[in-house]
Structures are given as C-alpha cells and as structure tokens.
Amino acid sequence: MQLSLNPWVTSPAESIEEETPDVHVPPAAVISTPLKGMVEPDTADRLASRTITGTAALWVVGSHGGAGESRTADLLDGARPTGHCWPVLQDGSKPRVLLVCRADMRGLTTAQSALTQWASGAAPAVELLGLAVLADAPGKTPRALRDFTAIVGGGAPRLWTLPWVEAWRHGDSTTTPAAREYQRFITDVTALVTETNPSTNH
C-alpha cells in the first residue's frame, strides 16, 4: 500500500510499519486531535452543533445533504446518523464521530470545511475517527477529484474512499456492499470503535 505525505502535517512520521498479510489493522491516525494555530472557517462554512438524545457506539456526520450519512450508519453496528451536525451528548461525554461526504467537488469542499472546523477547535469536543468519501457516480473518479480527496483526507485522522453501490440507486438498502473497500472499511471502523475509549485523548 503506497502512502503519501499528509499535506496538513509539516513533519511526517519517521517510519511506517507495513501491514502483515494475515492481520489487518485499521490505518494509523496522523492527526488525532485539533491542531494549535489552525484558523477556523467562516461561520457560514461550519457544521452546526446539536444536542443529541440517546446513545450510539458511533455517530455518523454527513458534511452535506446527500452525503450518505444514513447509508453509512446502516452499515455499522451501533452507529446512528446525526442529521448533518456535530453531536453534543447530554451526559457531557465525548462522542465518537465518523465524517462522511460524497466524492464530488461540493461534498469534498464541505468535508474540508468540517475538518478545518474540527482541527481549529471550533467544533464541539468529539473523537473523530476519520473521513469516509463515498463515490458520487459509477465508474472511475476523475483524477482531479481523486487528488482533491487525498488533500482533504489529509486533514482527518484516517481516510476511506468507497466505491459506487448501484443497488443503493435502486432502493436496496438491506444488502451490505460486497466490494472489498466496504468490507475493509467496516472492519476498520468496527475495530476502532471496539478498541478506542471515547473519553481518552490521544
């Protein structure tokens, strides 16, 4: 697996361990907490915050309408969508969050604003696991959008790029996509949710 340097971080990690073929571990976080000195986005570009009732192992936050927030939450045990806002829990605990967007320019731009909001400390206190970018159309994503995805994803602890699911277009929301990328994504997020303590700062 080829890794590129994170454009949001000035000094890369000195060494990167290759994953062994038999044991899969989720991708390592490069950015895991807000960064000092990051300029917060304009108010109009920020995601709203909302006090949420109930509990969830993971809160899925779409950075825009049509991001795939509900679809993604349906794939993950114990996950709930937030309605395109940062969750604030009534008990004051820090929620685990997965940010999602579509792989078009609008979706990626809103994800970039949300990540800038989080990185600047302007978002509520959340434990951000990463960004999932869902394909916005069948076929190969244009190179310019793939490149922009890599740039935007550099601002998240982890990045997953997920392919188009034709069955969803036809209303089939019950079948888990068979694509390797989705299976790996579900495995990654499940492991992170299981192993991560939501009250622990990294």
Side-chain angles (χ1 to χ4, degrees):
M1 178 169 62
Q2 190 173 20
L3 298 175
S4 57
L5 296 181
N6 188 330
W8 294 54
V9 177
T10 54
S11 56
E14 292 184 7
S15 63
I16 298 172
E17 295 288 333
E18 289 292 327
E19 90 180 30
T20 62
D22 336 285
V23 181
H24 173 68
V25 293
V30 177
I31 297 174
S32 58
T33 57
L35 305 172
K36 291 182 179 178
M38 177 68 73
V39 178
E40 61 190 60
D42 291 339
T43 304
D45 295 326
R46 298 180 197 175
L47 280 179
S49 303
R50 183 163 62 91
T51 300
I52 302 235
T53 57
T55 60
L58 177 69
W59 298 95
V60 181
V61 178
S63 64
H64 60 96
E69 181 183 85
S70 296
R71 293 279 191 202
T72 304
D74 287 344
L75 295 174
L76 303 164
D77 287 340
R80 287 178 54 191
T82 65
H84 315 296
C85 63
W86 297 112
V88 177
L89 302 185
Q90 289 183 316
D91 64 4
S93 62
K94 185 189 285 188
R96 286 191 196 95
V97 164
L98 174 71
L99 188 67
V100 297
C101 74
R102 287 288 175 182
D104 58 10
M105 188 56 70
R106 170 178 171 259
L108 291 167
T109 301
T110 61
Q112 185 177 46
S113 294
L115 288 169
T116 303
Q117 182 183 2
W118 170 76
S120 69
V126 299
E127 182 183 347
L128 182 63
L129 298 187
L131 169 67
V133 179
L134 282 66
D136 67 314
K140 191 172 181 180
T141 302
R143 181 171 180 174
L145 290 175
R146 294 200 311 270
D147 291 346
F148 190 39
T149 297
I151 292 169
V152 172
R158 299 165 187 85
L159 171 65
W160 295 273
T161 54
L162 302 171
W164 178 257
V165 179
E166 185 64 25
W168 288 349
R169 175 185 275 183
H170 301 287
D172 181 0
S173 59
T174 59
T175 304
T176 300
R180 177 183 57 187
E181 294 88 345
Y182 277 95
Q183 299 303 318
R184 178 59 55 87
F185 166 68
I186 292 167
T187 300
D188 283 350
V189 175
T190 300
L192 289 166
V193 168
T194 302
E195 296 170 7
T196 308
N197 183 335
S199 62
T200 301
N201 291 323
H202 297 283

